Amino acid sequence: MAMTMVEKILAKASGKPTVTPGENIWIDVDVLMTHDVCGPGTIGIFKREFGQDAQVWDKEKIVLIPDHYIFTADRRANRNVDILRDFAQEQNIKYFYDITDRSDFKANPDYKGVCHVALAQEGHTRPGEVLFGTDSHTCNAGAFGQFATGIGNTDAAFIFGTGKLLVKVPATMRFVLNGEMPNYLLAKDLILQIIGDISVSGATYRTMEFAGETVGRMTMEERMTLCNMVIEAGGKNGVIAPDETTYEYLRGRTDKSFESFYTDENAIFYSSHSYDVTTLEPVVAKPHSPDNKELARNCQDVKIDRVYIGSCTGGKTSDFLHAAHLIKGHQVKVPTYLVPATQKVYEDLFTVKYDGKTLSEIFLDAGCIEPAAPSCAACLGGPKDTFGRLNEPEVCVSTTNRNFPGRMGNKQAEVYLASPYTAAASALTGYVTDPREFM
């Protein structure tokens, strides 16, 4: 029986020879991730249901990553990290990326930053495996050819205790992207285009599989951007077939064996969509929904108050490289916030060079605000002292993934989702700007 890549992964995890969309199956979990926002709730449910002295199913398959509300004076936010720490010590969890000194994150060698990028950088994302996380953007890891999706605290607590979960096999929507990417487009443009075409409910509980020569030429970080935002289309998960690019990224990051799976030629898809990327233009998602798509050039009269470059979607090293490409030699017209996703990305800002200058030199010379400590920061709003938070009803161009009312803070604020190119171009003009103006 022909199967898609995800169906094969789930069949293996369930111990069944085949599975079909809509089928409910018990599967074994390879990795479970939780962070400071959902971790304490998950721990509470686990102890309530399995007992105060219960032990987790596998101490080496759980990853605890504080990342959301870290650099804040909020006592409740800080207490959440304390709860993670206590649990990690109690259970002897192998992978706990702790932070004990918030005044100097660099003094915390274990601290990583944003969970989805850290999972990849630390080698926890492997082809053919099942990864669950208590965060909707866990689908980011599908870029590595695995089944990765977000779950709630109750499901995570059940996995803590059993290492298993009951899931319904999702049907697969296939998106084939062909053509050589124009130099003014990035993966963020492609996923915003797709979400705008199918809507925020267009892929509800379905796999979004990305294929085609365009995807094959993408770096792992650009592939992560594609898979990261399938949840904004309602998707259960996103996935890209592993190839040499995948394996090269994983070399030196993991020594665990894995098995790659590929979609059969005669597999049945829920739907199939084809794009010629050479015909596409830079796009933004206007307030207040990720599917409120518009060409960037049609929004040039929208005056903005700030630009935000960061998050699991737009705070990777390549995202800052792309922004620096446009910003170098110019001056920004509005406050421009830079939030690296992880400590590794932060280090790259001060070591990776573009055209003879480090990325940080380029940004600071242009008048950007000094790069912040790595974390989710203002992507999810957070306490009022969160770096970059929209505390006033301002207009922001952001490389983040959601622009619902209040997502980045103030409920009256307006957020335009954009690629790093478009965000950088907008910072230089003070208006939503098509990056081709600076290319």
Side-chain angles (χ1 to χ4, degrees), residues 17 44 50 53 130-131 180 205 261 269 286 331 373 376 387 396 423 428 433:
F50 289 89
D53 299 324
V130 172
L131 166 67
E180 185 171 350
Y205 206 93
F261 293 93
F269 300 109
K286 299 189 298 183
Q331 288 291 305
C376 294
F387 180 84
C396 176
L428 297 177
T433 302

Side-chain angles (χ1 to χ4, degrees), residues 25-163:
I25 56 173
W26 285 99
I27 60 173
D28 293 324
V29 179
D30 294 294
V31 180
L32 172 67
M33 181 280 298
T34 190
H35 50 50
D36 55 296
V37 174
C38 295
T42 297
I43 293 165
I45 296 169
F46 168 69
K47 288 182 172 291
R48 184 188 72 204
E49 299 298 328
F50 289 89
Q52 291 297 314
D53 299 324
Q55 295 292 302
V56 296
W57 104 99
D58 193 319
K59 297 174 174 57
E60 296 192 7
K61 291 186 175 182
I62 293 170
V63 184
L64 305 179
I65 308 185
D67 65 349
H68 274 61
Y69 302 146
I70 304 303
F71 302 102
T72 171
D74 188 276
R75 293 176 62 186
R76 288 178 296 180
N78 296 335
R79 175 60 185 147
N80 275 4
V81 180
D82 293 339
I83 294 171
L84 284 188
R85 184 178 302 112
D86 292 344
F87 187 72
Q89 293 172 350
E90 169 198 309
Q91 298 282 335
N92 194 27
I93 302 296
K94 182 175 182 179
Y95 301 109
F96 172 42
Y97 299 115
D98 195 9
I99 182 165
T100 55
D101 183 358
R102 290 182 293 109
S103 65
D104 180 11
F105 74 90
K106 288 174 284 187
N108 299 264
D110 291 332
Y111 178 69
K112 301 303 175 188
V114 180
C115 57
H116 311 300
V117 181
L119 281 170
Q121 291 180 342
E122 298 305 312
H124 297 294
T125 53
R126 294 175 291 267
E129 293 191 351
V130 172
L131 166 67
F132 287 113
T134 57
D135 189 290
S136 60
H137 291 104
T138 302
C139 50
N140 184 89
F144 292 85
Q146 69 176 171
F147 179 77
T149 191
I151 55 173
N153 294 0
T154 302
D155 281 350
F158 186 82
I159 294 172
F160 266 175
T162 68

Side-chain angles (χ1 to χ4, degrees), residues 229-252:
M229 287 189 65
V230 301
I231 186 62
E232 271 69 53
K236 180 67 173 175
N237 70 300
V239 72
I240 293 172
D243 57 14
E244 185 54 36
T245 300
T246 317
Y247 305 141
E248 178 60 31
Y249 185 97
L250 291 173
R251 288 188 187 107

